[in-house]
Amino acid sequence: MLKTVKSVPGIITTYNVLNLRKNLLNGTLDLGTNFSGQLQLIDLQNNFISSYVETGAYSKELILIGNPVCQQNGATAGYCKLPEESNPPYSTNPKNCVPIICPTDQKASPYCRCSYPYTGTLFFRAPSFSDLGNASVYVALEDSLMKSFKANSNVLPVDIVSLSNPTKDPDNYIELTLNVFPSGKERFNRSDISKIGFMLSNQTFKPPKQLFGPFFFIGSEYGNFEDSVPLPSGGSKKSPRLSLGVIIGASVNGGANQKVYLDHLLGNKPTR
């Protein structure tokens, strides 16, 4: 008997991402053929899926890490690995946590939490190093940034920062992408962004003198303010979520086997 579930606790969906991590799904995974062409990623990490029926119909990213199907001896299938990404000269590593895939409009922090960081570019005019692959200089910069944020933690709700994509421009300035992640919430409010930008722009923050010279910061536009999320009719402030119908259970052969069906994704009606 098929059961259609309209909402699943912990589900995070976008137009091209289906996230059903830690939803106690078990049995055999069969995606079928009737799914949205917009779907780019199905993330089913840390469930109890014991096998996967590979029909070839779905060719995008599927992640089954943390399921019994990936814990068998010699499990080398692509869905038992995180998607490979091109490696820049430096990118802040996860802090003793398992890397995760976030919805497309969010980013994963070094603490492996999804949120809406404040992003911008740091420009250093006269650094003392030339090796863009020297990770130690970026770690020192991260530590220095966090010391400044923690010194103002009563007014700056910053959880952690990340640095990535160091490059040199034609003037030999070193450019670094900076992500500042909110603490205790998914989004910053307008006051938070103003205070963070002020700290980075008025030279309140001082980078390590022995490594980095004078700098300036240019912040990107922040379009995910906490105080701009519309209030639903219930009154609580939550991010809008898409409604998603998912076929997640079926009894086969009198209940001897259970299959997990996800052939009704992103609003498509299942085939009876």
Side-chain angles (χ1 to χ4, degrees), residues 191-237:
S191 177
D192 298 334
I193 295 298
S194 177
K195 292 171 183 175
I196 293 170
F198 181 78
M199 192 195 86
L200 293 172
S201 300
N202 76 341
Q203 304 297 304
T204 300
F205 163 67
K206 303 295 183 184
K209 292 182 179 179
Q210 70 276 22
L211 295 172
F212 298 90
F215 81 99
F216 59 95
F217 172 78
I218 298 179
S220 301
E221 181 179 357
Y222 191 77
N224 298 289
F225 289 109
E226 180 183 45
D227 44 11
S228 66
V229 178
L231 289 174
S233 57
S236 61
K237 188 179 292 186

Side-chain angles (χ1 to χ4, degrees), residues 36-112:
S36 169
Q38 293 180 313
L39 191 63
Q40 299 294 313
L41 169 66
I42 300 175
D43 187 350
L44 298 174
Q45 295 182 63
N46 300 317
N47 283 287
F48 299 92
I49 297 169
S50 58
S51 60
Y52 170 46
V53 178
E54 298 187 61
T55 64
Y58 179 75
S59 59
K60 305 298 182 180
E61 294 290 351
L62 170 66
I63 306 177
L64 296 178
I65 296 171
N67 285 274
V69 66
C70 288
Q71 295 168 354
Q72 302 168 5
N73 291 333
T76 59
Y79 49 78
C80 293
K81 305 174 184 177
L82 285 175
E84 293 185 3
E85 298 180 358
S86 58
N87 294 320
Y90 178 80
S91 182
T92 303
N93 290 322
K95 305 293 185 182
N96 299 316
C97 58
V98 178
I100 60 174
I101 302 295
C102 293
T104 53
D105 58 340
Q106 297 184 23
K107 292 183 180 179
S109 78
Y111 288 143
C112 301

Side-chain angles (χ1 to χ4, degrees), residues 122-221:
L122 291 165
F123 298 83
F124 295 96
R125 298 175 179 174
S128 63
F129 61 93
S130 58
D131 180 9
L132 296 183
N134 183 359
S136 63
V137 298
Y138 308 120
V139 172
L141 180 58
E142 291 165 0
D143 291 343
S144 182
L145 281 162
M146 284 310 302
K147 285 180 181 178
S148 292
F149 284 125
K150 287 180 179 179
N152 296 277
S153 59
N154 58 323
V155 293
L156 293 176
V158 173
D159 188 33
I160 195 169
V161 301
S162 71
L163 298 171
S164 61
N165 303 319
T167 59
K168 280 187 179 181
D169 69 10
D171 296 319
N172 280 327
Y173 288 12
I174 287 184
E175 302 178 10
L176 270 171
T177 299
L178 170 67
N179 286 298
V180 182
F181 292 88
S183 176
K185 53 187 179 180
E186 283 190 345
R187 308 163 186 262
F188 289 113
N189 60 37
R190 297 176 189 275
S191 177
D192 298 334
I193 295 298
S194 177
K195 292 171 183 175
I196 293 170
F198 181 78
M199 192 195 86
L200 293 172
S201 300
N202 76 341
Q203 304 297 304
T204 300
F205 163 67
K206 303 295 183 184
K209 292 182 179 179
Q210 70 276 22
L211 295 172
F212 298 90
F215 81 99
F216 59 95
F217 172 78
I218 298 179
S220 301
E221 181 179 357

